């Protein structure tokens, strides 16, 4: 079956259908990972995206249930150059195509993703649509093309956090000796695993939980998780975060949690040209001078030039473009990072940040 990618600027890429037929809209982004496709698609931070993979072949090692970061695919669609229908790996349970169909996901293959990536790199991420229902380049379909372009222009994923957060509280590793409360803005399973394997009891709360609910659980530390979009889309969460941070508990923010803490401190965020998506993003730690390779999936960044010195200091920056990747706060017992230290399907060089967080927690416990 033929499929087509229509960009907001009117460009059309023709290919073949992958996964389910139909039409899907989203923000077209490019992801530079060589592996970790399944983890990326099931990461709630990919909500609302049409993910174009820069690596030319996807699916050659297949898919399995163990590597999923959540129960569902959260990306709105997938764009690849070549889709492998005959995977070879001892862990493979099903093909890429079967995985997409099981999750009701629309995709397209046979696209010149190199060309597409250069367009997005030069012009910035833009909205688009994948459709199997008509050819947007066909003059006979001009009316349908115009209608779809209008939908593309109006697309946004402002309700993303409400869609991806858990619906009720859950507790993991009840016997853990250190109690961490996590606000689920769109967390990955491996974030929880990184805490439980370090002996933590983890209570996961829905994203909009108030500070009073957090305080009632008497946590030793608080984690504000990663998730989709920007802090400006979730003002209620930002207000809650102010009160949560004022509880004085050691706090760690990741991804969207990083943006939320900055917004709570009055520091604005900015929309990036094409964001950082993939498992090979270099981040330099300013205190040590060491550069780490990290996994990332975000389209917004903290405007570090507007970070007051009395509020905090930039701790990490992206080695490619200098954007803010981490902040050490002075006004709260808190540090945050934009990248994913808990990444599966990507480098784990910065997983030690969970140890740093728990060191802060233990220091606070000993000081009581």
């Amino acid at each position: 079956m033929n499929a087509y990618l229509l960009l907001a600027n009117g460009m059309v890429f023709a290919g073949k259908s992958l996964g389910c037929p139909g039409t899907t809209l989203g923000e077209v982004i490019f992801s530079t990972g060589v592996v970790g496709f399944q983890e990326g698609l099931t990461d709630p931070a990919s909500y609302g995206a049409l993910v174009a993979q820069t690596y030319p072949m996807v699916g050659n090692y297949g898919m399995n249930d163990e590597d999923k970061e959540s129960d569902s695919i959260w990306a709105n669609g997938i764009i690849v150059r070549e889709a492998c229908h005959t995977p070879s790996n001892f862990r493979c349970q099903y093909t890429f195509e079967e995985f997409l169909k099981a999750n009701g996901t629309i995709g397209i293959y046979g696209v010149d993703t190199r060309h597409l990536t250069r367009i997005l790199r030069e012009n910035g991420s833009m909205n688009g649509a994948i459709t199997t229902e008509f050819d947007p380049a066909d003059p006979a379909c001009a009316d349908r093309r115009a209608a779809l372009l209008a939908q593309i222009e109006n697309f946004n994923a402002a309700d993303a956090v409400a869609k991806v957060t858990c619906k009720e509280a859950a507790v993991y590793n009840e016997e853990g000796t250190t109690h961490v409360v996590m606000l689920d803005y769109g967390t990955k399973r491996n974030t929880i695993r990184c805490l439980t394997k370090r002996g933590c009891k983890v209570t996961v709360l829905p994203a909009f939980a108030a500070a009073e609910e957090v305080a009632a659980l008497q946590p030793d530390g608080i984690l504000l998780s990663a998730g989709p979009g920007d802090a400006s889309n979730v003002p209620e969460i930002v207000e809650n975060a102010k009160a949560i941070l004022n509880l004085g508990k050691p706090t760690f923010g990741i991804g969207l949690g990083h943006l939320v803490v900055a917004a709570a401190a009055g520091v604005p965020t900015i929309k990036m040209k094409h964001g950082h998506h993939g498992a090979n993003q270099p981040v330099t730690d300013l205190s040590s001078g060491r550069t780490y390779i990290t996994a990332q999936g975000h389209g917004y960044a903290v405007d570090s030039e507007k970070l007051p010195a009395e509020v905090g200091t930039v701790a990490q920056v992206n080695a490619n473009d200098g954007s803010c990747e981490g902040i050490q706060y002075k006004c709260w017992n808190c540090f945050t990072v934009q990248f994913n230290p808990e990444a599966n399907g990507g480098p784990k060089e910065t997983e030690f940040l969970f140890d740093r967080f728990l060191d802060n927690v233990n220091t606070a416990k000993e000081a009581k």
Side-chain angles (χ1 to χ4, degrees), residues 150-175:
Q151 293 179 53
I152 289 170
E153 182 179 357
N154 293 323
F155 173 82
N156 69 79
D159 59 346
V161 174
K163 293 289 181 64
V164 304
T165 188
C166 61
K167 305 308 177 188
E168 56 186 22
V171 179
Y172 300 85
N173 191 28
E174 184 75 51
E175 303 304 316

Side-chain angles (χ1 to χ4, degrees), residues 98-285:
E98 290 167 343
F99 178 62
L100 295 177
K101 286 183 175 179
N103 285 273
T105 304
I106 296 171
I108 181 173
Y109 74 96
V111 171
D112 185 348
T113 49
R114 181 179 176 85
H115 184 198
L116 174 61
T117 299
R118 292 186 69 177
I119 291 169
L120 298 175
R121 187 186 66 192
E122 298 303 321
N123 298 286
S125 300
M126 66 181 77
N127 289 348
I130 301 170
T131 184
T132 62
E133 297 176 324
F134 73 101
D135 180 358
D138 185 347
C141 300
D143 290 344
R144 298 181 72 181
R145 170 192 170 97
L148 185 55
L149 281 171
Q151 293 179 53
I152 289 170
E153 182 179 357
N154 293 323
F155 173 82
N156 69 79
D159 59 346
V161 174
K163 293 289 181 64
V164 304
T165 188
C166 61
K167 305 308 177 188
E168 56 186 22
V171 179
Y172 300 85
N173 191 28
E174 184 75 51
E175 303 304 316
T177 56
T178 299
H179 186 199
V180 175
V181 169
M182 178 193 299
L183 277 296
D184 175 18
Y185 300 155
T187 192
K188 298 192 289 294
R189 285 174 174 166
N190 202 43
T191 308
I192 299 170
R193 285 193 290 263
C194 284
L195 292 169
T196 57
K197 74 181 183 181
R198 288 169 168 80
C200 295
K201 170 186 173 182
V202 182
T203 301
V204 179
L205 297 180
F208 296 90
E212 293 78 9
E213 187 173 353
V214 175
L217 293 169
Q218 299 182 322
D220 299 310
I222 298 167
L223 193 146
L224 306 179
S225 85
D230 182 33
S232 64
N233 293 330
V234 284
E236 181 181 342
I237 286 176
V238 173
E239 288 303 310
N240 284 344
K242 291 179 183 178
I244 290 169
L245 289 159
N246 285 332
L247 294 175
K249 301 292 184 178
T251 303
F252 181 22
I254 300 172
L256 180 57
H258 165 78
L259 301 177
V260 166
V261 174
V267 184
T269 57
I270 53 176
K271 172 70 172 171
M272 305 177 74
K273 184 175 181 179
H274 46 67
H276 298 150
H277 305 275
N280 49 9
Q281 294 286 333
V283 170
T284 300
D285 182 84

Side-chain angles (χ1 to χ4, degrees), residues 321-336:
D321 61 19
S323 60
C324 177
E325 293 278 6
I327 295 175
Q328 176 66 56
Y329 284 89
K330 299 177 181 177
C331 54
W332 297 303
N333 186 356
C334 175
F335 72 95
T336 65

Side-chain angles (χ1 to χ4, degrees), residues 49-70:
L50 301 181
V51 181
Q53 297 288 351
T54 61
Y55 191 74
M57 178 185 282
V58 176
N60 55 308
Y61 58 84
M63 304 288 157
N64 63 70
D65 291 326
E66 184 179 352
D67 290 342
K68 294 190 294 187
E69 286 292 351
S70 68

